[in-house]
Amino acid sequence: MTDSPIRILLVDDQQLVRLGFRMVLDAEPGLTIVGEAGDGAEGVRLAAELRPDVVLMDVRMPVLDGIEATRRIVETDPQARVIVLTTFDLDEYAFGGLRAGASGFLLKDARPEELAAAVRAVAAGDAAVSGRVTRAMLELFADRLPTGATAAGAGTDPTAALTPREREILVAMGEGLSNGEIGAKFYLTESTVKTHVGRVLAKLQLRDRVHAVIFAYENGLVER
């Protein structure tokens, strides 16, 4: 019995861009395109209708931009995974996409193997952008973020559900450390770190590592 293919929805207003992504992804084993949309509103509709595993979402589109489309898709289906497509690294639009609930961003000129790897990573519940890049993006657009007191709410501890070790792991993720770096810092095996990361995400109801970094940053758990 073979695993089901990863189902992908393409959302981009440029038909040639969608064609290029389709050619690359259809050539990859275990990946299949289930639909295409030419604007954000159509993307939201098709995402609800088709329930794809991964949405590749352009950010600059007519009718409804990719940031708002991402927000609506994620609100409707918390299991949805979105990769924002952008032209520039550390772009304000990519930042907006992550804040809206995307699990990562990808440059439009990414190599075919990078595109396929990002789709597979996001479908598996991981992130398509490293914690270190997320941290750099948060620092770049720090003035758009609420302060820790504002984000968490006065007098509340957003990490109350975590054990002391899990809180340390969260802070380390917020600092942009990889599993290997976290393991070295706390003298833990990578498998143990993965277990802790999974528990942190589950307890705080975070989508993936990208959103763990954002959570840590917004709630003042790491220095700005």
Side-chain angles (χ1 to χ4, degrees), residues 129-139 167-183 185-186 193 197 209-217 221-223:
V129 58
S130 73
R132 205 176 298 281
V133 171
T134 305
R135 176 72 191 271
M137 184 175 287
L138 290 170
E139 289 173 350
R167 192 180 190 282
E168 289 176 336
I169 298 293
L170 173 60
V171 171
M173 283 195 283
E175 292 170 345
L177 302 186
S178 66
N179 283 354
E181 290 168 334
I182 293 172
K185 181 175 182 176
F186 296 115
V193 173
V197 169
R209 292 181 75 99
V210 164
H211 296 98
V213 176
I214 294 173
F215 178 93
Y217 210 86
L221 301 178
V222 292
E223 293 183 3

Side-chain angles (χ1 to χ4, degrees), residues 8-14 17-18 21 33 35-47 52 54-62 64-66 69-70 73 82-85 108:
I8 304 162
L9 172 64
L10 302 177
V11 186
D12 195 297
D13 63 325
Q14 298 182 52
V17 172
R18 297 200 308 271
F21 282 133
I33 307 298
E36 296 184 24
D39 61 65
E42 187 182 9
V44 172
R45 182 183 64 79
L46 285 180
V54 177
V55 180
L56 289 178
M57 177 74 72
D58 188 22
V59 287
R60 299 171 179 84
M61 290 183 294
L64 188 71
D65 66 51
T70 295
I73 288 172
V82 180
I83 299 175
V84 168
L85 301 171
K108 280 193 170 185

Side-chain angles (χ1 to χ4, degrees), residues 30-128:
L31 305 182
T32 184
I33 307 298
V34 295
E36 296 184 24
D39 61 65
E42 187 182 9
V44 172
R45 182 183 64 79
L46 285 180
E49 176 185 322
L50 301 173
R51 295 284 174 153
D53 299 306
V54 177
V55 180
L56 289 178
M57 177 74 72
D58 188 22
V59 287
R60 299 171 179 84
M61 290 183 294
V63 184
L64 188 71
D65 66 51
I67 295 174
E68 180 59 27
T70 295
R71 182 177 292 107
R72 294 185 188 183
I73 288 172
V74 170
E75 286 178 352
T76 301
D77 180 12
Q79 299 304 312
R81 294 293 180 263
V82 180
I83 299 175
V84 168
L85 301 171
T86 183
T87 307
F88 303 105
D89 200 358
L90 297 184
D91 189 336
E92 178 179 354
Y93 287 93
F95 170 77
L98 295 184
R99 293 266 290 151
S103 292
F105 70 89
L106 199 64
L107 295 180
K108 280 193 170 185
D109 62 356
R111 296 189 302 273
E113 60 270 23
E114 291 175 330
L115 175 62
V119 168
R120 290 192 173 99
V122 167
D126 207 339

